[in-house]
Amino acid sequence: MVRLHVKRGGESQFLLEAPGSARLAELAPLVARIHNGRLKVQRLCSGLTDEQIQELKLKDEWAEKCVPSGGSIFRRDEMGRRNGFAPNEKMQQVIKKTIEEAKALISKKQVQANVCVNMEMVKDALEQLRGAVMIVYPMGLPPHDPVRMELEDKADLSGTHAGTEVIKESEAQLWWAGKQLEETKLLSDYIGKNEKTTIIVKIQKKGQGAPGREPVISHEEQKEMMLYYHRRQEELKKLEEEDDDSFLNAEWADSHALKRQFHGVKDIKWGPR
């Protein structure tokens, strides 16, 4: 299996395994599907955080229908999107734990851990969040609630920053080594028959043009080089400061030391004691 290190812009997103025989017409939409799924998980986690669980005190028809399990506590929602009945402390812990687990599944840190992400993992994260919502809100959430709308794929992201991050599967393009991977070809048409290789691919929307090229050295390597040169400069500076005639006082630099030793006057010191 070929390992794809998927990036968006210059930022790592996830690792994905695919056979060299994979058709780009199918692979590009799959990458977009995982990319969009990860974004949905992140939006749901954001929508379930403490800050947005705090709800605005409004009387509406759903206030008594959508009561959190175990009762609720009032918290003001500065965003004005909810009615003020937040889950109690125990139920908040259920949400927090689930958020941590869901985020871990699709985290960018999986790249550093060399763990590949697939669509099943994304679905698992979404189902964990769905399950937590059902536990905390057994009567369901109001139809207009952003979390419910996300879970039902009804969220309107038009005109939002989140909407610009989503890439429609039909508009997804993959780029590698400055080349657009054409939909009519196979992955092996570009990388050969080596199934044990890792390549960096970037996902773009059609019409966006070529993404920026990868730097010759990584950010970490650049930091190491800068640190090395800084240390070297400090060493040279120190040598320059110490570069005087003090070495002439050393015994090895005294041209008459051997002669005095033969005459037995090596350690004679003149002057008062």
Side-chain angles (χ1 to χ4, degrees):
M1 299 287 277
V2 178
R3 181 161 292 189
L4 307 178
H5 181 170
V6 180
K7 289 190 173 185
R8 176 73 166 137
E11 195 172 354
S12 295
Q13 300 296 323
F14 57 92
L15 299 177
L16 173 67
E17 285 187 332
S21 59
R23 294 189 174 278
L24 273 306
E26 299 172 357
L27 185 58
L30 173 61
V31 173
R33 203 174 308 134
I34 295 174
H35 169 73
N36 294 337
R38 291 178 66 253
L39 292 176
K40 178 183 279 290
V41 171
Q42 291 165 5
R43 291 195 303 271
L44 277 166
C45 289
S46 176
L48 288 169
T49 55
D50 283 344
E51 291 78 10
Q52 295 193 38
I53 285 174
Q54 299 176 5
E55 304 181 359
L56 184 65
K57 189 176 182 180
L58 297 174
K59 262 295 185 183
D60 61 47
E61 60 179 306
W62 299 96
E64 296 179 1
K65 297 179 181 178
C66 303
V67 178
S69 180
S72 63
I73 55 177
F74 171 70
R75 289 183 177 175
R76 181 181 178 82
D77 179 13
E78 300 298 335
M79 300 182 69
R81 300 172 73 177
R82 293 187 173 132
N83 65 12
F85 296 108
N88 62 27
E89 204 63 41
K90 183 179 178 180
M91 291 296 103
Q92 286 186 37
Q93 290 304 316
V94 171
I95 291 177
K96 287 178 181 178
K97 183 179 179 182
T98 306
I99 286 174
E100 290 174 2
E101 293 174 352
K103 279 186 172 180
L105 277 174
I106 55 92
S107 172
K108 294 175 182 178
K109 292 181 180 179
Q110 296 282 50
V111 174
Q112 300 170 2
N114 207 30
V115 174
C116 291
V117 175
N118 54 42
M119 200 59 213
E120 291 305 312
M121 294 170 69
V122 174
K123 289 179 179 178
D124 189 18
L126 290 171
E127 286 306 309
Q128 286 185 26
L129 293 168
R130 189 189 305 276
V133 171
M134 291 177 66
I135 291 172
V136 178
Y137 291 96
M139 303 300 291
L141 289 168
H144 58 270
D145 188 275
V147 169
R148 176 170 171 174
M149 294 177 74
E150 282 286 3
L151 290 172
E152 295 180 352
D153 295 324
K154 295 179 180 178
D156 183 8
L157 302 178
S158 57
T160 66
H161 174 69
T164 64
E165 295 180 322
V166 174
I167 300 176
K168 292 182 180 179
E169 294 180 29
S170 59
E171 297 178 357
Q173 283 184 338
L174 297 181
W175 291 74
W176 171 66
K179 300 176 183 176
Q180 178 188 332
L181 306 185
E182 298 179 16
E183 296 178 355
T184 56
K185 295 186 177 182
L186 305 178
L187 186 58
S188 59
D189 292 334
Y190 292 94
I191 65 170
K193 301 297 182 181
N194 186 1
E195 292 276 334
K196 295 183 179 180
T197 187
T198 299
I199 63 172
I200 294 176
V201 298
K202 293 189 175 182
I203 184 170
Q204 291 273 94
K205 293 180 182 179
K206 289 180 180 178
Q208 284 188 327
R213 283 183 172 274
E214 286 292 298
V216 178
I217 60 174
S218 69
H219 180 64
E220 290 301 318
E221 290 172 331
Q222 187 177 23
K223 284 171 62 177
E224 289 293 327
M225 288 177 63
M226 293 295 290
L227 183 60
Y228 169 80
Y229 286 120
H230 175 72
R231 287 174 177 168
R232 183 62 179 158
Q233 285 178 343
E234 290 297 313
E235 289 174 0
L236 292 174
K237 184 178 178 181
K238 188 176 180 181
L239 287 173
E240 287 178 1
E241 292 172 351
E242 295 177 351
D243 187 20
D244 52 24
D245 294 337
S246 60
F247 70 91
L248 295 175
N249 296 325
E251 186 176 334
W252 58 266
D254 186 355
S255 59
H256 301 291
L258 184 61
K259 181 178 178 180
R260 286 201 300 271
Q261 185 173 354
F262 282 128
H263 285 84
V265 293
K266 178 182 177 184
D267 295 325
I268 295 177
K269 294 182 179 179
W270 303 98
R273 296 189 179 184

